[in-house]
Amino acid sequence: MSKNRARDRAARAAMDETGAFRARAVRQVDTTGQSPEYPVRLVDADGESWYLNSGQTNAYGTRALHYSETRTYEQIVEETGPVRHPDIPADGDSAAIRQALRQAGPQALATLTAALYAAATACEQATGRPEALVAGRPGSTESTIVLGLTLDVGPEVPLTSVDTAALEVVAGILTRWVTGETVVELAENLAWMLGPLVDELGWLGLTDPWARRRLAPYASWVTGHSDDPVGALRASAAGSPPDEDLGPVDLGAQEVGQVAFLLDASIPVEPDPALVGDATMEELLAALVARNLHTLERDGTQYPARADVFVMPPASTSPDVLVKEPGLVVNRPGDAPPGWRNVSAMVLVSARRPWALDDEDQRVITDAYQAASAALNRHWPGLPKESQHAALSLDMLAALRGQFTADAVRELFHDMVQNAVHHTYTLGADPELEPGAGQA
């Protein structure tokens, strides 16, 4: 029986017994260290990762050598020993890391980045190579991303973004993984541990403003094993920083700009106990949105804003209306989960524009949507992830109607204002942010 076939059979047996994923089952079989067969991977004293060539019983290659060059296990031990074999995380490691990051909350990913950098520093002290951080499986996509995250961003993590208690726990475990008597494959194991946290807390629940700006390029690894693909895509797109540092911003010297978007929200079917007099749930939704868009935040900088919220009429059950007038009737009956119903509102955001970026309109919409969505979820918790509130810019809404001109967007805006069943605005906002009549 070939070694690979024997390993696969052993892996299947481990999967049946423990329920482990195949990759983990294979690693568990390969890392007993007691088998008469040579290990599939090993790491030498210099932090170099060696792999057993396919079809060979004792011929190892490494990324530092030409593919035709090999060494025997005995040669590696003699020349660059002692060697360490790959291993799986110790019992309790996964739970300890998750709990530490859960308690860190929005500081979690920045703290994890700092812990990775601490582990890479320990690798450099032990082997002379910070790259030994991923020696357990250096060629994987996860390892490439983690190494880039660690070496590029790790030295920049601000102390204000680090939870010191969580850092002590996570850095200790990761350092043991990569400098201990055996080597734990770091990148993939961490990705599997992060997946449930992303599902539980979301990207915003794991990142502070610094992390959302700086760690967005690495979101594909953080969310790679999440069960919420929509949330993962949002995380990957969130917080992308501009290509250059624009320096400090002067919030008082910027011109006021306006942009409008459609907020498609879900609210409880049952009336809110906080309703006063003849107030409706639609009016409460508008008040919550307007109140919480008084100040917006981006990359740790707050800037003043004002929201004018126009609540749209209830959805029609007529398919013809849904097709012909998507600007006026957008929330369809049945979209909301049990116990909830859909409400749409057009939100006009007036704000100072301190960044003056080419995509500033979309960035303001993103900032306003995140603030509005967070406020609604705080007031009415329990909305399922798959039914979360959504936002759509008016130019995109007009494009869905087959209209792509600025005049079409203005017409859509005026139609929505005219057909609104309720209007409110942010109280106490800067008077200079008050929109002019008919502007969008």
Side-chain angles (χ1 to χ4, degrees):
M1 182 185 300
S2 72
K3 181 178 72 63
N4 287 341
R5 186 176 300 172
R7 187 175 70 241
D8 287 344
R9 289 187 176 180
R12 282 195 294 271
M15 291 168 64
D16 292 339
E17 181 179 350
T18 66
F21 290 101
R22 181 188 183 282
R24 179 160 299 183
V26 170
R27 287 200 301 274
Q28 187 167 10
V29 171
D30 289 338
T31 58
T32 60
Q34 305 300 319
S35 171
E37 298 178 350
Y38 289 98
V40 174
R41 283 193 178 272
L42 56 89
V43 178
D44 65 21
D46 296 329
E48 187 70 48
S49 181
W50 295 81
Y51 54 88
L52 191 63
N53 283 0
S54 177
Q56 301 293 316
T57 57
N58 188 10
Y60 286 87
T62 184
R63 295 163 67 88
L65 295 177
H66 188 271
Y67 73 92
S68 63
E69 294 185 71
T70 62
R71 300 285 190 274
T72 66
Y73 182 89
E74 291 75 17
Q75 285 176 318
I76 299 171
V77 171
E78 181 179 354
E79 295 172 7
T80 56
V83 300
R84 296 177 294 152
H85 297 184
D87 204 350
I88 60 173
D91 293 342
D93 281 356
S94 298
I97 290 176
R98 284 190 185 127
Q99 182 59 23
L101 296 180
R102 183 181 293 110
Q103 292 179 347
Q107 294 177 307
L109 290 190
T111 300
L112 176 60
T113 304
L116 286 167
Y117 186 67
T121 301
C123 286
E124 187 171 21
Q125 293 173 348
T127 68
R129 292 162 41 88
E131 297 84 359
L133 179 76
V134 295
R137 191 163 165 254
S140 72
T141 301
E142 293 99 331
S143 293
T144 300
I145 295 174
V146 166
L147 192 59
L149 165 67
T150 302
L151 300 184
D152 294 343
V153 186
E156 304 176 1
V157 180
L159 292 177
T160 54
S161 293
V162 174
D163 184 297
T164 54
L167 177 63
E168 182 177 357
V169 172
V170 179
I173 295 174
L174 300 187
T175 299
R176 169 165 51 80
W177 282 6
V178 295
T179 63
E181 294 183 358
T182 57
V183 180
V184 175
E185 191 284 313
L186 179 139
E188 185 185 12
N189 278 299
L190 274 181
W192 280 109
M193 294 177 192
L194 288 172
L197 284 180
V198 174
D199 293 334
E200 177 184 345
L201 303 177
W203 176 257
L204 297 180
L206 294 170
T207 55
D208 63 2
W210 177 87
R212 288 195 289 275
R213 175 175 59 86
R214 197 65 181 88
L215 301 183
Y218 307 95
S220 60
W221 170 69
V222 176
T223 63
H225 294 294
S226 166
D227 290 331
D228 179 14
V230 174
L233 290 173
R234 287 175 179 168
S236 300
S240 300
D243 294 334
E244 57 180 334
D245 184 4
L246 300 177
V249 296
D250 182 359
L251 296 176
Q254 305 300 319
E255 294 184 358
V256 173
Q258 296 171 3
V259 64
F261 67 95
L262 188 76
L263 176 67
D264 194 24
S266 294
I267 63 177
V269 171
E270 297 296 327
D272 192 299
L275 290 178
V276 177
D278 296 329
T280 66
M281 291 287 281
E282 285 80 2
E283 291 171 350
L284 178 55
L285 175 139
L288 289 171
V289 172
R291 181 190 311 159
N292 284 277
L293 268 60
H294 182 280
T295 303
L296 302 180
E297 180 180 301
R298 188 187 311 168
D299 301 341
T301 299
Q302 294 183 333
Y303 60 103
R306 163 185 162 136
D308 281 75
V309 184
F310 300 85
V311 180
M312 295 294 99
S316 169
T317 57
S318 168
D320 291 335
V321 175
L322 292 173
V323 173
K324 293 178 180 178
E325 299 294 337
L328 300 180
V329 182
V330 293
N331 49 355
R332 308 178 182 212
D335 283 350
W340 300 79
R341 62 186 177 90
N342 290 125
V343 174
S344 293
M346 195 265 288
V347 183
L348 173 65
V349 183
S350 306
R352 298 191 182 279
R353 303 293 186 92
W355 290 273
L357 302 175
D358 291 339
D359 60 346
E360 188 64 22
D361 278 356
Q362 185 57 51
R363 288 175 179 265
V364 171
I365 289 176
T366 299
D367 298 339
Y369 161 72
Q370 290 177 345
S373 180
L376 295 178
N377 285 334
R378 283 195 304 270
H379 191 82
W380 292 310
L383 182 65
K385 292 180 180 180
E386 62 272 14
S387 303
Q388 278 297 309
H389 319 291
L392 190 66
S393 63
L394 289 200
D395 57 349
M396 181 61 70
L397 197 58
L400 293 176
R401 303 173 69 177
Q403 300 173 345
F404 304 94
T405 65
D407 287 340
V409 175
R410 281 191 288 269
E411 181 182 352
L412 176 59
F413 173 80
H414 288 303
D415 287 347
M416 298 180 81
V417 170
Q418 197 170 38
N419 285 276
V421 296
H422 177 68
H423 166 239
T424 191
Y425 59 88
T426 303
L427 299 177
D430 184 342
E432 293 185 6
L433 299 180
E434 183 176 350
Q439 292 183 355

